[in-house]
Amino acid sequence: MSERITTPFGFETTALEVVEGVDLSGRRAVVTGGASGIGVETVRALAAAGAEVTIAARNAEAGRKVAAELSAATGNDRIFVAPLELTSQDSVQEFVRSWDGPLHLLINNAGVMATPLTRTPEGWELQFATNHFGHFALTLGLFGALRAEGARVVNVSSAAHLSSPVVFDDIHFERREYDRWQAYGQSKTANVLFGVEAGKRWAGEGITMNALMPGGILTALQRHITREDLEERRRLRGAAGKPMQLKTPEQGAATTLVLAVSPLVEGRSGLYFEDCEEALPHADGMPNGLAVYAHDQEAAAQLWQVSEETLKIGEPA
């Protein structure tokens, strides 16, 4: 077993501090959800380090506004925008078809949280469809671009993965009562398992994939959550032994950047990071950590198979 990875960074580190002294000139990145929340700060840090960055956003107009602001702030005019609706396979495939050339960094950052029960036209539960299926299809679609240069894929997960494993016999809540936190939790577990299986399948392709918990950050991600919901989550965290501490978006993006640029994770896949270092295994009384089921090899393989069958896509050539 490899030694646990720690870094000089921590809870209060910002994304810009992580990339200080890092030169990403000639590197190309895609950030899904790059027009809001920690996505903006992820784009800012990558652009500040010299990368060409494409913001993949549902709202292209909002994306263009952010791109203009960040170009002015960083002096990098290579920040582009492309429309992407993760719940629409047509939109995902259009993004894939429009991509030309190599891709060095794919940051699967976009997501929805704790939504009321909503189904896509296919009947898929919205959170799983957005947070996992959309990014699965996007990543496999971009496989050739990622393999061309060797690349890192970073999946933004959450400590909420501790709420639920992937419930394979009823992923879409067709038979069990819908619970929005369990639905969110299993989608975040899927983000981690995706990297576990990709690490096995793509070990010889020069592509690595890892996941992270950004921390508690107040952004548009919480638009479906009331103040009472947030206070309840904070209370439960306190009961687990550690009250929830909030981060700024700049701090929340830092762990993403560690996985994207740090030489300490070179060649490593299937990891899960918190506060800029590899997370410890979860244990009773811990509010964070990595659940056993989120790095289970059998579950990871099953998720990949289910995802391919559901989306009707095969292993990329």
Side-chain angles (χ1 to χ4, degrees):
M1 180 177 293
S2 300
E3 184 176 350
R4 175 174 172 260
I5 298 173
T6 59
T7 76
F9 309 115
F11 181 95
E12 296 183 348
T13 301
T14 67
L16 286 174
E17 289 171 339
V18 173
V19 300
E20 186 174 353
V22 174
D23 183 7
L24 296 179
S25 300
R27 310 292 281 179
R28 304 176 77 205
V30 168
V31 181
T32 69
S36 65
I38 64 172
V40 173
E41 300 309 319
T42 301
V43 174
R44 186 193 307 275
L46 293 172
E52 174 192 305
V53 188
T54 295
I55 296 172
R58 293 179 61 191
N59 186 334
E61 182 178 349
R64 286 189 287 271
K65 181 179 179 182
V66 168
E69 292 172 352
L70 294 183
S71 288
T74 63
N76 185 340
D77 62 1
R78 297 179 307 282
I79 304 177
F80 306 110
V81 179
L84 177 67
E85 170 53 75
L86 287 166
T87 61
S88 165
Q89 289 304 301
D90 288 343
S91 176
V92 171
Q93 294 311 312
E94 179 57 32
F95 184 95
V96 168
R97 284 191 296 270
S98 69
W99 185 264
D100 183 42
L103 176 60
H104 308 95
L105 295 170
L106 173 57
I107 313 297
N108 290 325
N109 166 82
V112 292
M113 171 192 275
T115 58
L117 178 58
T118 308
R119 300 193 184 279
T120 67
E122 297 88 353
W124 306 333
E125 188 276 317
L126 181 67
Q127 295 187 79
F128 204 84
T130 305
N131 299 345
H132 173 64
F133 282 156
H135 283 127
F136 184 89
L138 178 67
T139 305
L140 266 64
L142 292 170
F143 176 80
L146 293 163
R147 183 177 58 179
E149 294 283 334
R152 297 189 188 189
V153 181
V154 180
N155 299 331
V156 177
S157 180
S158 170
H161 85 273
L162 297 169
S163 301
S164 179
V166 177
V167 181
F168 288 105
D169 63 357
D170 192 16
I171 287 175
H172 301 292
F173 292 85
E174 295 168 319
R175 293 179 297 280
R176 55 185 169 139
E177 183 178 357
Y178 181 70
D179 181 297
R180 58 183 177 161
W181 288 110
Q182 288 185 2
Y184 181 63
Q186 74 164 356
S187 75
K188 296 288 101 179
T189 294
N191 293 155
V192 186
L193 290 173
F194 186 13
V196 172
E197 184 65 10
K200 290 175 58 180
R201 291 178 180 248
W202 296 351
E205 303 291 352
I207 303 170
T208 61
M209 186 187 300
N210 295 294
L212 69 119
M213 156 63 169
I217 309 122
L218 294 179
T219 68
L221 183 64
Q222 286 83 24
R223 60 186 173 274
H224 298 288
I225 303 171
T226 65
R227 182 175 295 277
E228 290 74 18
D229 292 331
L230 184 59
E231 288 303 316
E232 176 65 8
R233 298 290 286 182
R234 290 170 68 95
R235 185 190 66 77
L236 291 173
R237 292 269 300 209
K242 183 180 179 182
M244 182 188 294
Q245 293 178 276
L246 296 179
K247 293 185 178 185
T248 65
E250 293 86 351
Q251 293 168 334
T255 306
T256 297
L257 270 298
V258 168
L259 288 175
V261 307
S262 174
L264 295 172
V265 296
E266 185 73 35
R268 300 286 298 276
S269 276
L271 304 178
Y272 173 76
F273 270 49
E274 295 172 338
D275 295 336
C276 298
E277 63 183 19
E278 189 175 355
L280 294 166
H282 176 72
D284 290 345
M286 289 177 58
N288 291 336
L290 177 62
V292 171
Y293 54 71
H295 60 95
D296 180 83
Q297 298 285 345
E298 292 186 5
Q302 185 175 2
L303 176 66
W304 193 288
Q305 180 180 355
V306 167
S307 301
E308 284 187 334
E309 291 174 352
T310 301
L311 297 168
K312 297 180 173 58
I313 55 178
E315 186 72 19

